[in-house]
């Protein structure tokens, strides 16, 4: 039977109770993730206010929680005896154990300077482990309203033609991108993983979205701009970073390894692609969303299950913040290894006439470890260099301190090798696109 006929025939929008449920849950989810509000004099979103409030009012509680989560995450693979089922799992199991050890050392009172300095372990614990560890389970509550009750499918119908043509992904991808932008990278990856398991993304689509749309949140934009002292160029920085991120993605989806990923679905099941709706687009999209909402069932039961499931991601990600992130910072600040690898990009930065090209090249490579490192390295460099590297830190997306371990910890099948190749491709393209625009904007 024709899908469009089913949509018209059912007329779910005439079910007042179902329509109210759909609108209410959608409104709450949209408000929490996408409505900008003022908090402490800065623009942010309600979800971020909730997280900030909890951290400010219960600092000891959230720190204890993050500490316990790191310990559980580190020892869980060994308790379950699945720590060595494959090479990637073995690597990250050991990495998580190292993260737990670093965390214990940090709070022992006897941490060496390389661990205890404020921009190393304390920064990673307070700014990443606590923040993300709190964000994931609370964010999953409101993600449930958007993902499980039809909102994302309703919106996706309107964006499908644009997303398919330019980025070769479903229309619902736009919602994931905005959620990452307004919430965090973890939120975007979480949404992508859930949609993949729900058979709404193929493997290729899930990998594209996780590696190319799960950018950092707007709050990080502000931190980056302040650190590099380019707040007077906020609008230029904001819009160029946004443009470059999606322009680069439009290219990388058409080249390997992304272009070679299969369009098969989770566990080789039959996928649930977005329907093509004929006739009245709004009515069809609404009926589609209402159909999802109707099938979802009890809100409290589904939300509770999603919150429980979200802790799997917490246990996977937090220990790696404290291991991979800290090791990268120690290497960056106490060795010349990253300087050596920076020479890979030096010919490009030199030909593009970026001021202090070697510094820019080194900073770009540091982005693979942690997004803040490039900005910290060039904060005293010429304005063009600072501007370009600020855009770079946002647009690279993939890094070993957060995104890569987050993606690997999900069900999305992508190798670390592929993630590094995608990062390399993005970095080259970011330079090529960003630098000419930067010179046009700020001279």
């Amino acid at each position: 039977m024709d899908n469009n006929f089913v949509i018209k025939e059912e007329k779910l929008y005439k079910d007042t109770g179902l329509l109210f449920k759909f609108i209410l849950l959608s409104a709450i989810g949209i408000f929490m993730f996408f409505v900008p509000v003022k908090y402490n004099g800065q623009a942010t979103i309600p979800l971020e206010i909730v997280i900030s409030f909890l951290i400010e009012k219960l600092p000891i509680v959230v720190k204890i929680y993050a500490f316990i989560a790191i310990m559980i995450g580190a020892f869980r693979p060994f308790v379950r005896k699945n720590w060595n089922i494959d090479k990637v799992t073995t690597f990250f199991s050991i990495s998580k154990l190292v993260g737990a050890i670093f965390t214990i050392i940090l709070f022992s009172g006897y941490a060496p300077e390389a661990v205890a300095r404020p921009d190393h372990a304390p920064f990673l614990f307070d700014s990443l482990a606590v923040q993300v560890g709190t964000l994931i389970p609370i964010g999953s509550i409101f993600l449930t309203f958007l993902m499980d009750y039809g909102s994302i499918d309703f919106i996706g119908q309107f964006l499908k033609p644009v997303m398919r043509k330019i980025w070769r992904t479903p229309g619902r991808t736009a919602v994931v991108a905005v959620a990452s932008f307004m919430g965090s990278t973890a939120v975007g990856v979480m949404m992508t993983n859930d949609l993949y398991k729900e058979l709404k993304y193929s493997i290729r689509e899930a990998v594209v979205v996780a590696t190319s749309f799960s950018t950092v949140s707007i709050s990080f934009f502000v931190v980056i701009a302040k650190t590099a002292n380019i707040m007077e160029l906020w609008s230029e920085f904001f819009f160029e970073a946004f443009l470059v991120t999606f322009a680069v993605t439009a290219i990388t989806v058409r080249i390997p390894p992304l272009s070679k990923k299969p369009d098969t679905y989770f566990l080789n099941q039959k996928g649930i692609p977005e329907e093509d709706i004929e006739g009245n687009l709004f009515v069809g999209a609404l009926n589609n969303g209402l159909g999802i909402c109707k099938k979802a069932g009890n809100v409290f039961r589904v939300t509770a299950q999603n919150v429980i499931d979200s802790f799997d991601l917490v246990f996977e990600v937090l220990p790696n913040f404290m291991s991979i992130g800290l090791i990268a910072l120690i290497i960056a600040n106490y060795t010349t290894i990253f300087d050596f690898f920076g020479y890979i990009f030096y010919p490009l930065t030199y030909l593009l006439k970026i001021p202090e090209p070697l510094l820019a090249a080194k900073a770009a490579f540091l982005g693979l470890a942690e997004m803040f490192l490039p900005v910290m390295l060039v904060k005293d460099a010429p304005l063009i260099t600072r501007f370009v590297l600020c855009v770079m830190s946002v647009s690279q997306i993939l890094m070993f301190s957060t995104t890569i371990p987050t993606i690997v910890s999900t069900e999305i099948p992508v190798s670390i090798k592929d993630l590094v190749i995608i990062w390399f491709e993005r970095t080259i393209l970011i330079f090529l696109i960003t630098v000419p625009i930067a010179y046009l904007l700020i001279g």
Side-chain angles (χ1 to χ4, degrees):
M1 185 176 290
D2 181 72
N3 286 334
N4 190 47
F5 175 75
V6 171
I7 288 171
K8 288 182 176 180
E9 184 69 23
E10 289 185 359
K11 296 182 180 179
L12 294 175
Y13 54 85
K14 291 190 174 183
D15 184 335
T16 307
L18 180 63
L19 183 62
F20 176 77
K21 180 180 180 180
F22 171 79
I23 293 174
L24 177 63
L25 294 179
S26 298
I28 294 172
I30 290 169
F31 174 74
M32 293 301 296
F33 281 105
F34 304 125
V35 176
V37 293
K38 285 281 187 178
Y39 181 70
N40 289 339
Q42 291 187 345
T44 184
I45 56 172
L47 177 62
E48 183 65 26
I49 294 175
V50 173
I51 304 303
S52 297
F53 178 82
L54 288 173
I55 293 173
E56 289 170 7
K57 299 300 180 182
L58 302 169
I60 303 300
V61 173
V62 294
K63 286 187 177 183
I64 292 173
Y65 155 70
F67 182 90
I68 293 173
I70 290 170
M71 296 302 124
I72 293 174
F75 291 101
R76 193 169 65 155
F78 298 94
V79 172
R80 292 182 169 183
K81 298 181 180 180
N82 63 351
W83 66 275
N84 60 348
I85 56 176
D86 55 53
K87 291 181 180 179
V88 172
T89 302
T90 302
F91 173 81
F92 281 108
S93 295
I94 295 172
S95 168
K96 285 183 282 190
L97 192 60
V98 171
I101 294 170
F102 277 142
T103 305
I104 292 170
I105 291 172
L106 172 64
F107 288 100
S108 70
Y110 297 98
E113 191 266 347
V115 174
R117 55 186 283 182
D119 59 339
H120 277 197
F123 162 75
L124 291 170
F125 186 82
D126 294 331
S127 298
L128 291 180
V130 170
Q131 294 274 350
V132 175
T134 307
L135 171 69
I136 289 175
I138 294 178
S140 68
I141 296 172
F142 304 104
L143 283 177
T144 300
F145 300 164
L146 291 176
M147 290 177 48
D148 292 86
Y149 289 89
S151 303
I152 200 167
D153 298 271
F154 169 71
I155 296 171
Q157 290 295 342
F158 296 96
L159 297 170
K160 179 180 177 181
V162 175
M163 299 304 298
R164 279 288 180 198
K165 188 170 184 179
I166 300 177
W167 293 287
R168 298 182 176 179
T169 57
R172 56 176 70 101
T173 300
V175 180
V176 176
V178 175
S180 298
F181 177 68
M182 297 302 290
S184 77
T185 298
V187 167
V189 174
M190 218 163 70
M191 290 181 76
T192 304
N193 186 49
D194 287 347
L195 288 167
Y196 170 62
K197 291 192 294 183
E198 290 173 4
L199 308 178
K200 295 179 180 178
Y201 278 150
S202 67
I203 290 176
R204 182 188 59 79
E205 291 165 348
V207 175
V208 167
V209 177
T211 61
S212 308
F213 287 98
S214 299
T215 185
V216 298
S217 71
I218 190 171
S219 58
F220 281 115
F221 276 72
V222 177
V223 174
I224 290 167
K226 285 184 176 179
T227 302
N229 194 27
I230 63 165
M231 282 302 293
E232 72 277 7
L233 296 169
W234 168 254
S235 296
E236 293 87 345
F237 162 56
F238 177 84
F239 287 110
E240 180 166 359
F242 193 80
L243 170 67
V244 168
T245 298
F246 296 109
V248 166
T249 299
I251 298 172
T252 56
V253 296
R254 290 168 168 80
I255 58 177
L258 289 180
S259 65
K260 298 296 184 182
K261 296 297 178 183
D263 272 313
T264 53
Y265 289 81
F266 182 57
L267 299 179
N268 287 319
Q269 299 178 74
K270 185 178 180 181
I272 309 175
E274 291 172 320
E275 294 177 344
D276 289 322
I277 296 176
E278 299 175 0
N280 190 309
L281 179 60
F282 178 82
V283 173
L286 178 60
N287 230 4
N288 188 37
L290 289 170
I292 301 296
C293 185
K294 185 177 181 178
K295 293 177 183 177
N298 184 275
V299 175
F300 297 103
R301 178 185 57 79
V302 176
T303 302
Q305 187 60 53
N306 285 345
V307 171
I308 293 170
D309 292 344
S310 74
F311 282 101
D312 286 334
L313 189 57
V314 172
F315 297 146
E316 291 292 330
V317 172
L318 265 59
N320 282 320
F321 287 162
M322 300 303 297
S323 58
I324 296 172
L326 181 56
I327 291 170
L329 287 171
I330 291 172
I331 292 172
N333 287 314
Y334 291 95
T335 75
T336 60
I337 291 176
F338 282 117
D339 293 352
F340 174 78
F341 282 108
Y343 281 101
I344 295 172
F345 298 118
Y346 177 66
L348 181 61
T349 57
Y350 177 81
L351 290 173
L352 290 171
K353 300 188 182 300
I354 301 175
E356 299 191 32
L358 183 56
L359 179 68
K362 294 176 181 178
F365 195 85
L366 282 173
L368 182 59
E370 160 59 41
M371 64 159 292
F372 277 121
L373 294 182
V375 180
M376 293 169 65
L377 188 66
V378 302
K379 58 185 176 66
D380 298 317
L383 179 58
I384 286 286
T385 306
R386 281 182 281 141
F387 186 88
V388 169
L389 267 299
C390 282
V391 174
M392 176 79 66
S393 67
V394 171
S395 303
Q396 283 178 315
I397 295 179
L398 297 169
M399 64 196 95
F400 273 104
S401 66
T402 52
T403 328
I404 291 176
T406 302
I407 293 172
V408 171
S409 69
T410 68
E411 302 290 338
I412 301 169
V414 58
S415 67
I416 293 178
K417 176 185 174 183
D418 281 349
L419 292 173
V420 172
I421 292 173
I422 295 166
W423 170 86
F424 184 80
E425 292 172 347
R426 293 188 68 86
T427 302
I428 295 292
L429 291 168
I430 291 165
F431 270 130
L432 293 173
I433 297 172
T434 303
V435 174
I437 299 175
Y439 272 109
L440 286 173
L441 291 174
I442 60 182

